Amino acid sequence: EGAASLAAALSKIPVINGGDGKGQHPTQALLDIYTIQKEIGRMQDFKIAMVGDLKNGRTVRSLAYLLGKFPGVEITFVSSQHSRIGNDIKAYLIRHHTSYLEEDELNRVLPNMDVVYMTRAQKERMSDEELRNHAVYEKEGKIFAITSDNLHLVRPVARILHPLPKVNEIRLPITVEENDPRIAYFRQAENGLYVRMALLDLLMNGKRD
């Protein structure tokens, strides 16, 4: 965490942060915003649920920062008590007058969302205590997941995103993933190619008309 800032401070050429530990993942946030715009047709006045390991996941942190710049966005953070989003993110959202809630029941949230942003457990970034807590949580069957049992709760016009790779927080047949328009995470991954190409072009060639 913080390695990208250090590299940028020492480098004579531009440095793109491709993700720094539990800190930030700004290029992912750019492609997420682009995907939301393409999938639901707007970047304001929508409801989004961010689900899973919000404490250790850098993608949700960067996306929350960007969402704080658009009006009418309502964020619901869905996680266990051990995996809550950081207080720095909450303070940022408050400063930018962005509405947010914290919830621990995914099925209660799904019917109201325009976007459901799933994340995996970041086990490689968890402390020993966090790993123990997560193991207990999994054993109790309380993992937050989209499955064939609750997919029907997601609105027909809503979209399910995931920064990938996914583990067991999305458990759907491949036929559903390939044919259900609500499943947007493969299109989201493809969008990452175009957004990062555009970013490289901007840095190398400057702004164009």
Side-chain angles (χ1 to χ4, degrees):
E1 185 173 348
S5 295
L6 177 61
L10 299 174
S11 176
K12 296 180 180 179
I13 61 174
V15 172
I16 298 175
N17 183 354
D20 65 320
K22 299 180 183 181
Q24 298 291 333
H25 199 345
T27 63
Q28 180 70 46
L30 289 173
L31 77 91
D32 290 342
I33 284 289
Y34 176 71
T35 300
I36 291 171
Q37 167 66 34
K38 285 194 69 176
E39 294 291 333
I40 70 171
R42 62 190 186 279
M43 289 188 291
Q44 60 187 40
D45 300 320
F46 65 87
K47 296 179 180 180
I48 179 171
M50 297 187 183
V51 186
D53 184 5
L54 308 182
K55 179 179 181 180
N56 299 297
R58 60 198 181 192
T59 63
V60 291
R61 291 176 54 81
S62 284
L63 181 55
Y65 274 125
L66 272 190
L67 292 177
K69 300 181 182 299
F70 296 94
V73 176
E74 299 179 30
I75 303 173
T76 301
F77 296 115
V78 185
S79 70
S80 70
Q81 61 178 331
H82 306 293
S83 302
R84 299 293 193 202
I85 195 75
N87 289 330
D88 60 327
I89 298 296
K90 297 174 191 177
Y92 172 86
L93 295 175
I94 290 171
R95 289 198 306 272
H96 287 76
H97 309 289
T98 300
S99 174
Y100 77 87
L101 297 171
E102 291 185 287
E103 179 61 77
D104 59 7
E105 176 54 59
L106 177 59
N107 287 357
R108 188 159 55 221
V109 168
L110 289 178
N112 303 316
M113 295 297 120
D114 300 297
V115 178
V116 180
Y117 192 99
M118 302 296 295
T119 67
R120 68 177 176 86
Q122 307 282 311
K123 292 184 178 181
E124 71 276 16
R125 300 190 181 99
M126 291 182 180
S127 66
D128 290 342
E129 181 181 0
E130 287 173 329
L131 284 170
R132 286 193 295 270
N133 289 332
H134 183 73
V136 170
Y137 205 74
E138 283 188 317
K139 187 176 181 180
E140 292 176 349
K142 295 181 180 178
I143 188 169
F144 299 101
I146 297 290
T147 70
S148 299
D149 292 331
N150 64 357
L151 181 61
H152 71 280
L153 297 175
V154 180
R155 299 165 60 229
V157 296
R159 293 296 182 266
I160 300 173
L161 303 185
H162 194 302
L164 300 180
K166 60 187 177 73
V167 188
N168 58 357
E169 64 281 350
I170 296 180
R171 300 193 295 271
L172 297 171
I174 187 62
T175 53
V176 173
E177 291 187 309
E178 290 178 340
N179 296 292
D180 193 315
R182 294 172 295 180
I183 306 300
Y185 37 83
F186 297 133
R187 298 190 294 274
Q188 176 187 4
E190 181 180 353
N191 289 339
L193 173 65
Y194 311 133
V195 168
R196 288 166 174 136
M197 286 171 62
L199 180 59
L200 288 168
D201 181 66
L202 177 65
L203 288 178
M204 291 189 294
N205 300 312
K207 184 177 181 181
R208 296 177 178 178
D209 294 334

